[in-house]
Amino acid sequence: QVQLVESGGGLVQPGGSLKLSCAASGFTFEDYALSWYRQAPGKEREREFVARIIFTGLTDYADSAKGRFTISRDNAKNMAYLQMNSLKPDDTGVYYCHTEVHAREYWGQGTQVTVSS
């Protein structure tokens, strides 16, 4: 079955960096898009789009992520990454890896990112 497992979250000071990882299994990883979403504190019903990378390597970013975040993938390892630089307190939240396979959505369990001094 499709599984997505995030890692790499933590506590970081404003201006710092983190690299999130998403380990994928159960599907032909190289054929599908991978996205990152985040859920801010107090917004349990809202997951905000952050970035997407499709199978060609083409990327797309939310305005809030452009110029600071970089999404990438390693098809040989079935891994996706989100490099986050110049982090701000507003970036705090739970970050989720997402994919859609055969019209069904899959989410990981999430990894917490806290940006605070």
Side-chain angles (χ1 to χ4, degrees):
Q1 69 277 23
V2 174
Q3 285 193 324
L4 302 171
V5 180
E6 303 93 336
S7 61
L11 173 64
V12 63
Q13 292 187 341
S17 298
L18 278 176
K19 185 175 184 178
L20 307 183
S21 299
C22 173
S25 61
F27 64 107
T28 307
F29 179 78
E30 62 187 13
D31 290 345
Y32 294 92
L34 249 291
S35 301
W36 287 95
Y37 285 76
R38 68 186 180 195
Q39 188 168 300
K43 296 186 177 180
E44 281 71 23
R45 294 181 181 270
E46 301 175 34
R47 291 185 181 179
E48 174 192 17
F49 168 76
V50 176
R52 175 184 298 114
I53 184 165
I54 67 174
F55 67 96
T56 61
L58 189 67
T59 59
D60 184 29
Y61 296 92
D63 287 344
S64 60
K66 288 178 182 176
R68 300 189 299 127
F69 295 2
T70 302
I71 189 171
S72 61
R73 64 192 299 161
D74 184 337
N75 290 336
K77 295 181 179 179
N78 284 9
M79 295 289 296
Y81 306 97
L82 186 67
Q83 176 68 46
M84 304 187 294
N85 299 327
S86 303
L87 282 162
K88 306 173 183 179
D90 283 351
D91 295 318
T92 294
V94 180
Y95 283 69
Y96 295 91
C97 189
H98 168 274
T99 192
E100 185 173 327
V101 178
H102 300 313
R104 180 176 175 181
E105 291 188 283
Y106 296 89
W107 298 88
Q109 84 289 349
T111 186
Q112 176 71 45
V113 171
T114 303
V115 184
S116 175
S117 55

